[in-house]
Every structure is written in structure tokens, then in C-alpha cells.
Amino acid sequence: MRWLYSALWWFAMPLVLLRLWRRGRQEPGYRAHVAERLGFYPRLPDPQARFIWVHAVSVGETRAAEPLVDALLSRYPDCKILLTCMTATGRATGAQVFGKHGARVVQSFLPYDTGWMCCRFLRHFRPLACILMETEVWPNLIRQCRRHDVPVMLANARLSERSLRRGQRFASLLRPAAEAIDVVGAQSDGDAQRLRAFGARHVEVTGSLKFDVQPPTEVVERGREWKRALGERKVLLCASTREGEEVLILDALAKLGQPDWLTVIVPRHPQRFDEVAALIRARGLRLRRRSELAQGFAVEDVDVVLGDSMGEMFAYYALADVSFIGGSLLPLGGQNLIEALALGKPVLIGEHTFNFLRITEEAVADGAAVRVGDAVELLRQWTMLIVDPQRMAGMAQAASAFASRHQGATGRTADLLQPLLDQQWLDRI
């Protein structure tokens, strides 16, 4: 199976590169650093640098990795972090989040999962250890790590029942990769059980790193300034919405005419900003785009603000009175609700949350979140909260308490990794 998998990669490579080039029409970052995806890298300024390698596939994983990267740089002052990703937005987020560390964080795209490309990558950077974030199990990459004596950790790991069933269809390919991972830090007991069933050996529950992410003070204050500019006007944030969800929300909103509150929609994928703007205009709703507002937030005669900016998610949460978390009205698995909870925001969320099931169920049970069946119920729950400020304040308090109670995963993850790094340090003396 592994040979067939590798052969398919090489057979599909022209199509993969063509798709990469086409995506670059909307996101130019996909046309940059293409050689890195094929295993070719510029000469390192310091060939003797010792790298701890963290792979965060895209934006969410990159942000989740922030507290762990900070902790590792503090614990190992003689090391650098090699941060890899697969998406252009993930790389841009990495530059924004980790720019504070200067040359101590080096970014690169991960090569495609062929043995030859992964081998070139490992020989070039010679990392002390590999930390894969959340669900990144690449068979050839992990096999090459074993061949080059690079220990592998799966950090902040999660595995839903649905993903477990899918993975078991390809057990002959994926199970050996899972068994070759040296240590796994799982987000929950349920994730740990499913990961063990999938073949992972040394699994411990460390919790979710996302609860340890500290919102940038200046970004949060920006959102609070926006809120002050609106005065008493209430704000419903629809965060990380996915294709098909905006239509449902906007149709329900358009039926209400021009409500007193402001709706802010932040699509999950930047390439859809123009598409969502067209959907809003098509329904006769008064629109302003965040990119048109410069530093202010003058939107008195506006129904919907489209959040078409990068790096301001915490500002949008600070602006909101209540946050709806997208990816959950349709069977897409849901998106991360932790950032909203961390800022003390009541959460509304749909029924489809299999990617974040445990956290969502616990937040609902604690009174920090409310499930909604569809877009109409979403707006109904929102309007009920507007007229019941005491209930809204209670949900906000529950959200803050919930987020605080789940902190501490960073230290537990770093402690789990330490024996691997200590052994590597001894082996390379």
C-alpha cells in the first residue's frame, strides 16, 4: 500500500503543481517558495543551527502552536524553531504570530509526502525532533523521520469517530505511521482512546493548546475601540463561516428587514471574501468591508460588515456581544470556539461539531454555549439574548470560567516532549 501511495504522489504531481498555480491566482502566496514543496531549500545562514521542528498545516494549527513555540524557545535557548505549513495563509499567519522572535523562528513549506522529498528536507534541516500538530499523519514523512533518527510527537492531537472510521479504511497505510509516532499528546480522553485504537502507542492526555493562546493586547484593544464607536448597538459575529452557510444566514437576516443590530461575517477562507460580499449585496443588505474602514468603524447605516482582513480575529471577538462559530450549520465538523470563549463571549453553534465535539458539549453543559438547529434559530436565540442582558452576562461569565479551567496544556506538552529532546541532545554531542 505504501508503494502504491508513493507512486500515486508522483503520478499526480503535475496535477498537484497545476492546482497550486491556479490557487495562486487568488492567493499569490501559493506561487511563492514552490521549490520548498519539492524538497529544495536555500542555504541556511547558520549550518550549525539546532532546530526543533513544528508542523502546523494551516492557520488554526499555527495559532494553536504559539504557546508551545514560545515555551520551547524559552526552555531551549540554544535552539531555533523550524515552522512548516502547507497553506499560504498558514505561512502568512506564522510570519505575523512569530515575527516577535526574529531569526529564532525559520519558516518553510513542508515538502509533498514522497520519500525522496522528505529525505532532502530532513538532511537539510537536521531537526532534533518533529512535532506534528493535531491530525497530521503523513506515512512517508514519518517513515523518513524514523530512518533519520528524528523522534516524532503528535501534539494537540484530536481524532473524531468519523475520522477514525475513515482512517481504518486505509489501515495498512496509516496504522504503521501511527505506530511509528514516539509520543502523542491528546486533547481529551476520547481522543486518546481513538488514537490508541488507530495504533498510536505512547498516548497521554495533555489538553488543548488553544486554551493557552494569549490574545494580542493591541488587537483586542482595537476591537474594543470599534465597540465603543458603535455605542449601544449590539453586534452578532458570525466567525469562520464556510461555503453554503452565509447563504442560510443572509436569507434569514434579509427576512428581518433592517434590524437594529450589526452583523459581522468573517469567512473562514480569504479567497471567498468577494463571493460573500456579492451574496450580501444580492439580498439588499447594506454592506461595508473591513478593508474599506481603515482604522475607524463608522458603520451607522450598515447592516453587515464583511471581515475581509487577516490577523484580526481576536479584534472581531472583542467587538462582538455574541459569537456564532461557523462550519457547524452544515455537516462540516465545526470550527474552533475556544478563542471566543477565552474572550468571555457567549457562543452560538450549530449541530455539526464532530471536529470539536467534546469541547462543544462541555461548553453547552456549562452554559457558555447554545446549540442552534439552523440559521433561523440562530437569529432567534440571538434576539432572545439581546432582550435578556442578565442571561447574556451569565453566559459570558461561564465562557471565561470555562476557558480558564482548561488552561495548562502547554506545560504538559513540553514536559512530554522533553525526554525525546534530552536524548537527542545526548546523541548529538
Side-chain angles (χ1 to χ4, degrees):
M1 178 63 78
R2 185 178 59 80
W3 286 104
L4 176 61
Y5 169 78
S6 299
L8 287 173
W9 261 113
W10 285 108
F11 179 78
M13 194 61 65
L15 297 176
V16 170
L17 294 175
L18 178 61
R19 181 175 182 271
L20 191 71
W21 195 253
R22 286 180 173 175
R23 289 196 70 175
R25 293 176 180 175
Q26 291 183 311
E27 296 180 75
Y30 280 101
R31 294 185 177 181
H33 311 289
V34 174
E36 294 177 356
R37 299 179 184 271
L38 302 175
F40 295 93
Y41 307 92
R43 184 183 299 273
L44 291 171
D46 179 9
Q48 303 304 315
R50 292 184 172 185
F51 288 107
I52 301 173
W53 166 28
V54 177
H55 176 61
V57 62
S58 192
V59 175
E61 293 82 1
T62 301
R63 293 194 179 281
E66 181 182 6
L68 180 60
V69 168
D70 291 346
L72 292 175
L73 288 173
S74 178
R75 286 195 185 198
Y76 304 97
D78 295 329
C79 288
K80 294 184 178 182
I81 296 294
L82 170 62
L83 180 68
T84 60
C85 60
M86 293 298 290
T87 69
T89 51
R91 187 163 184 150
T93 300
Q96 179 186 54
V97 170
F98 299 110
K100 60 188 177 184
H101 294 300
R104 290 199 67 196
V105 175
V106 175
Q107 284 195 267
S108 173
F109 282 121
L110 188 72
Y112 294 121
D113 196 34
T114 72
W116 181 80
M117 294 177 189
C118 293
C119 180
R120 286 186 59 87
F121 172 86
L122 292 169
R123 287 178 177 174
H124 182 79
F125 290 106
R126 299 179 63 247
L128 293 170
C130 168
I131 304 171
L132 304 173
M133 294 293 294
E134 299 201 5
T135 57
E136 293 296 293
V137 178
W138 294 98
N140 282 324
L141 177 68
I142 293 174
R143 183 171 182 269
Q144 289 297 323
C145 284
R146 298 289 285 186
R147 289 185 62 186
H148 289 81
D149 295 320
V150 177
V152 178
M153 177 185 195
L154 187 62
N156 211 44
R158 58 184 174 88
L159 186 68
S160 68
E161 289 283 358
R162 182 178 182 179
S163 296
L164 175 60
R165 289 194 298 271
R166 287 180 174 177
Q168 287 173 336
R169 299 176 191 170
F170 304 96
S172 60
L173 175 67
L174 296 177
R175 191 175 183 89
E179 291 174 345
I181 296 173
D182 293 272
V183 65
V184 177
Q187 293 189 22
S188 70
D189 290 329
D191 290 311
Q193 292 171 7
R194 289 185 288 272
L195 286 159
R196 292 187 189 103
F198 196 61
R201 296 177 293 119
H202 184 188
V203 183
E204 293 191 21
V205 178
T206 53
S208 174
L209 292 169
K210 294 181 179 181
F211 283 108
D212 292 345
V213 174
Q214 295 299 312
T217 304
E218 68 280 5
V219 177
V220 173
E221 182 55 32
R222 188 182 310 154
R224 289 171 178 165
E225 288 177 2
W226 297 345
K227 182 63 175 173
R228 288 191 287 269
L230 290 176
E232 297 298 317
R233 194 176 188 191
K234 300 298 182 184
V235 179
L236 170 64
L237 171 66
C238 298
S240 298
T241 55
R242 303 277 298 275
E243 187 172 5
E245 291 187 312
E246 296 94 356
V247 170
L248 301 175
I249 295 168
L250 291 169
D251 284 346
L253 191 61
K255 291 179 182 179
L256 299 177
Q258 294 180 348
D260 293 335
W261 71 78
L262 176 68
T263 303
V264 178
I265 298 178
V266 184
R268 173 70 174 172
H269 299 116
Q271 63 267 30
R272 299 189 56 247
F273 287 158
D274 291 342
E275 172 194 340
V276 176
L279 292 174
I280 296 168
R281 293 191 182 99
R283 283 151 182 80
L285 296 166
R286 298 171 297 180
L287 167 70
R288 288 295 297 276
R289 298 174 69 138
R290 164 68 183 115
S291 57
E292 301 170 347
L293 294 173
Q295 296 301 315
F297 215 78
V299 291
E300 292 84 359
D301 298 323
V302 172
D303 300 313
V304 180
V305 168
L306 175 63
D308 61 347
S309 59
M310 297 296 293
E312 290 191 319
M313 200 66 242
F314 278 112
Y316 294 122
Y317 283 126
L319 165 68
D321 290 287
V322 169
S323 298
F324 163 73
I325 308 301
S328 60
L329 285 182
L330 297 174
L332 300 168
Q335 301 295 153
N336 171 29
L337 67 162
I338 294 172
E339 292 178 352
L341 297 172
L343 283 180
K345 301 299 176 178
V347 165
L348 301 176
I349 196 161
E351 298 288 347
H352 306 283
T353 57
F354 51 81
N355 285 336
F356 299 90
L357 185 59
R358 181 188 66 87
I359 292 294
T360 303
E361 289 181 342
E362 289 184 7
V364 171
D366 280 16
V370 172
R371 283 197 185 274
V372 296
D374 53 31
V376 173
E377 187 179 356
L378 162 63
L379 296 186
R380 184 176 67 84
Q381 288 289 345
W382 159 238
T383 54
M384 289 171 61
L385 286 169
I386 291 177
V387 298
D388 192 350
Q390 185 173 355
R391 180 185 172 211
M392 188 185 293
M395 287 187 66
Q397 185 176 3
S400 295
F402 181 85
S404 297
R405 192 168 64 252
H406 285 79
Q407 291 176 346
T410 300
R412 292 188 288 270
T413 303
D415 290 344
L416 195 59
L417 177 68
Q418 185 169 338
L420 300 181
L421 285 173
D422 288 348
Q423 184 59 49
Q424 285 290 90
W425 209 274
L426 290 172
D427 291 344
R428 297 198 184 186
I429 291 177

